[in-house]
Amino acid sequence: MPGLKVLLSRKTIAQRVAEMGEEITRDFRGQSIIFVGVLKGAAVFLSDLARQVPLDSTFDFIGVSSYGNRPTAKEDPAGHAAWDSLGEVRLTKDLDQSLADRNVILVEDILDTGLTLNYISKLLQAHQPRSLRIAALLDKPSRRKQPIQAQYIGFTIPDAYVVGYGLDYAERYRNLPDICVLENL
Ligand code: 5GP
């Protein structure tokens, strides 16, 4: 049976998300922004972050699936190796609106190999936004395969598989209020 160990408590997360919101508010004072969330993992983070930014804003969501960069209960009972990304990212849901001349904050749950955000950043840049910044709640720099610059990072964490606060394991655990390490996969 997998076990759950709290890595970041709901209180710690809320404090840091509030700080990130303050930073964004300061950086975009007097301007409008659009939050673009990466489904499904970033939905919880986006909803908390956006409520800490009292600026004129709208939401959009983009969906991608990254083959092989996460374990599923079926294919990876042993854990680690199966979430090494194979480098294939596919668009499953496009944006609903154009980002031309908009200030875009791309909101992601976790920055791991960097493949997903590299793919999405290129896609969004093609819209010619006025600005494009990345807000990632978690960062696992030790796993990076492609360099990527995120302007707002919540927490740098070690190389462990985490769930909760939007993050899943085979679609479960997204509703956990804390971010937990999934042990004994
Ligand atoms: P990247 O393309 O940077 O390797 O992967 C980013 C995506 O991989 C994240 O959006 C997330 O879906 C998934 N991912 C990477 N590490 C973890 C993790 O520790 N836990 C969960 N639940 N998903 C992860």
Side-chain angles (χ1 to χ4, degrees), residues 6-66:
V6 175
L7 178 70
L8 299 165
S9 72
R10 62 202 81 181
K11 192 170 162 223
T12 305
I13 298 167
Q15 278 167 354
R16 184 70 190 118
V17 171
E19 285 170 7
M20 294 174 85
E22 280 168 23
E23 270 182 71
I24 293 172
T25 306
R26 219 181 305 126
D27 292 351
F28 289 93
R29 193 176 301 283
Q31 301 182 65
S32 300
I33 54 180
I34 176 165
F35 292 99
V36 174
V38 184
L39 293 171
K40 303 171 197 169
V44 175
F45 174 42
L46 185 148
S47 71
D48 281 350
L49 180 67
R51 283 180 291 172
Q52 299 294 333
V53 180
L55 299 176
D56 178 51
S57 71
T58 54
F59 295 178
D60 205 341
F61 291 92
I62 192 165
V64 291
S65 67
S66 330

Side-chain angles (χ1 to χ4, degrees), residues 26 39 44 46-48 54 63 67 76 100 116 121-122 124 128 131-132 134 145 147 165 182-183:
R26 219 181 305 126
L39 293 171
V44 175
L46 185 148
S47 71
D48 281 350
Y67 291 112
D76 186 33
T116 307
S121 301
K122 283 193 191 115
L124 301 194
Q128 301 193 304
S131 66
L132 173 60
I134 294 174
K145 287 182 181 162
Y165 199 73
L182 197 56
E183 294 177 322

Side-chain angles (χ1 to χ4, degrees), residues 67-126:
Y67 291 112
N69 83 345
R70 56 171 55 197
T72 64
K74 228 167 72 206
E75 63 191 36
D76 186 33
H80 228 100
W83 88 78
D84 275 334
S85 178
L86 301 174
E88 274 184 58
V89 183
R90 190 170 59 92
L91 191 68
T92 56
K93 187 215 163 285
D94 206 346
L95 297 164
D96 294 334
Q97 53 197 296
S98 166
L99 303 178
D101 205 30
R102 307 289 305 274
N103 293 311
V104 179
I105 310 276
L106 176 55
V107 182
E108 176 63 308
D109 50 8
I110 183 163
L111 186 46
D112 189 32
T113 62
L115 296 169
T116 307
L117 277 184
N118 258 304
Y119 174 87
I120 297 174
S121 301
K122 283 193 191 115
L123 216 83
L124 301 194
Q125 285 291 6

